Amino acid sequence: MGNVVQLPTGKALTVQLAADRYLDALGNPNTARNYAIGISKTVERVGPNRPLETVAADEIGQALEELWGGAAVNTWNARRASVQSWLTWCRDRGYSGPAVPAWTKRLTPPDSETPARSKSEIDRLIGRRDIGLREKTLWRMLYETAARSDEILALNIEDLDFAGRRCQVKAKGAKAKTRRRGETRGDFVLETVYWDAGTARLLPRLLKDRSRGPVFTGHRKAGPGKVVSGRDVCPDTGLARLSYGQARALLDEATAATGPGTGWDLHEYRHSSLTHLGERGASLLMLMAKSRHKKPENVRKYFKPSPEAIAELTSLLAPGNAQR
């Protein structure tokens, strides 16, 4: 059990101190890092040395509007959510302070604008001679499994079923398994994803003689000051797992058209995979099985048929057996 820290009360609890205590209390370092972006900028805007109880809710709302009022919907929602979580945490512990005002509402995200790349574009990119084997394998696996990037990056060699060309992943929102009497177990309900010949050819070349540890690793060992779990380090080479940020940067570098940040996104492989399956006649139920979505409306945003596919479909409506 961790140490219980008594927060100071009244005027001694400054905005900065409240933020620091909240971020320190978050168990997941990735969550803490992401939340710190919105919280730190908000703290700076309202005044880090002010007593938290003197800050009004409208000041929080004004800070959010000034900082991210013109940002993308997902960015606004993410920053607003981090600040709201922080202030709710403070109130739940009995500390006087503001709340996120009702007029700074969460916005409904628009339909996904992630593009679907053509199969020829994907094959051409992966076939380039200047692309490393690790990247080729990752991108081919993302495309053939239609899995989320973090699911594939989290795989270890022990998770792979080479003969069956499949593996089990911890999916987004995975629930912990429960025992008969309701006690929570340490493991999670896993879901199966499948790959095909392209990935099957590349994986053995990538792994060589390795039989354990992360499938995808970086080129460096974990630094001495970085806390990394045993699962995230190859026991044979000492190399740390390839992070999402590193993988995203590698794809962007390989596909950028007009400078950093203009290349492809890892999520485009999932969109492209489902779009191509849909164009080839896969039913909605089969697309849901492949993507592992539970609701049909959630699959719709991933299916973006090309103009050529729609034109070919329209040709079925031609009168008689008209030759085109």
Side-chain angles (χ1 to χ4, degrees):
M1 181 179 295
N3 296 328
V4 177
V5 179
Q6 177 64 44
L7 294 182
T9 59
K11 296 184 181 301
L13 182 62
T14 64
V15 174
Q16 184 66 66
L17 182 57
D20 291 342
R21 296 298 189 186
Y22 168 70
L23 294 172
D24 289 343
L26 294 175
N28 189 315
N30 291 329
T31 301
R33 183 165 54 250
N34 291 332
Y35 276 27
I37 298 173
I39 294 173
S40 62
K41 289 184 178 296
T42 303
V43 167
E44 182 180 353
R45 186 59 61 101
V46 301
N49 297 320
R50 292 177 58 185
L52 182 65
E53 64 180 3
T54 67
V55 180
D58 282 347
E59 290 183 82
I60 296 294
Q62 185 65 31
L64 291 173
E65 284 286 351
E66 292 174 356
L67 290 166
W68 299 290
V73 171
N74 289 335
T75 301
W76 163 266
N77 287 339
R79 302 298 179 250
R80 176 187 177 278
S82 64
V83 173
Q84 184 177 48
S85 179
W86 162 47
L87 296 177
T88 300
W89 182 88
C90 291
R91 291 199 308 276
D92 288 347
R93 281 151 185 77
Y95 300 103
S96 300
V100 173
W103 54 267
T104 56
K105 296 180 179 180
R106 184 183 186 277
L107 302 178
T108 301
D111 290 340
S112 174
E113 297 180 356
T114 302
R117 304 291 176 176
S118 70
K119 191 173 186 303
S120 60
E121 284 182 297
I122 293 173
D123 290 342
R124 189 161 53 247
L125 173 63
I126 295 176
R128 278 170 40 184
R129 293 181 178 274
D130 61 324
I131 301 298
L133 178 59
R134 177 187 58 187
E135 288 79 9
K136 290 176 185 282
T137 309
L138 173 61
W139 300 343
R140 179 61 69 184
M141 196 171 192
L142 288 173
Y143 177 65
E144 292 186 351
T145 61
R148 299 175 180 88
S149 307
D150 53 353
E151 294 171 344
I152 297 302
L153 289 169
L155 286 174
N156 275 24
I157 300 172
E158 304 94 308
D159 303 326
L160 306 178
D161 177 358
F162 291 94
R165 294 182 177 180
R166 68 191 68 181
C167 62
Q168 291 190 312
V169 297
K170 179 183 175 183
K172 180 180 179 180
K175 297 181 179 179
K177 294 181 179 179
T178 56
R179 299 183 185 276
R180 293 181 60 184
R181 295 184 179 274
E183 299 91 338
T184 300
R185 292 170 42 154
D187 50 353
F188 291 81
V189 177
L190 301 177
E191 297 178 352
T192 304
V193 299
Y194 302 80
W195 63 82
D196 204 75
T199 303
R201 286 193 295 267
L202 292 169
L203 268 175
R205 294 172 53 197
L206 174 70
L207 301 178
K208 294 183 179 178
D209 298 327
R210 292 200 299 131
S211 60
R212 53 183 181 167
V215 175
F216 300 100
T217 62
H219 293 307
R220 297 181 180 179
K221 298 182 179 181
K226 187 175 183 179
V227 179
V228 181
S229 71
R231 178 178 168 81
D232 294 328
V233 176
C234 175
D236 299 321
T237 65
L239 298 175
R241 184 184 304 281
L242 183 71
S243 70
Y244 178 86
Q246 292 170 327
R248 180 176 57 184
L250 288 167
L251 178 58
D252 180 69
E253 181 181 357
T255 56
T258 57
T262 62
W264 296 12
D265 185 83
L266 290 168
H267 205 53
E268 293 177 26
Y269 286 108
R270 180 168 166 86
H271 280 252
S272 303
S273 175
L274 296 175
T275 292
H276 299 161
L277 290 173
E279 291 177 344
R280 295 295 297 272
S283 68
L284 176 61
L285 290 177
M286 289 303 292
L287 288 177
M288 290 176 64
K290 181 67 173 174
S291 66
R292 295 166 288 124
H293 281 108
K294 303 301 185 290
K295 298 180 180 180
E297 59 267 26
N298 291 339
V299 181
R300 172 65 184 85
K301 67 180 182 180
Y302 287 92
F303 180 41
K304 296 179 180 291
S306 65
E308 293 76 17
I310 296 175
E312 183 177 351
L313 175 66
T314 306
S315 70
L316 300 177
L317 302 177
N321 293 321
Q323 298 295 318
R324 300 182 63 81

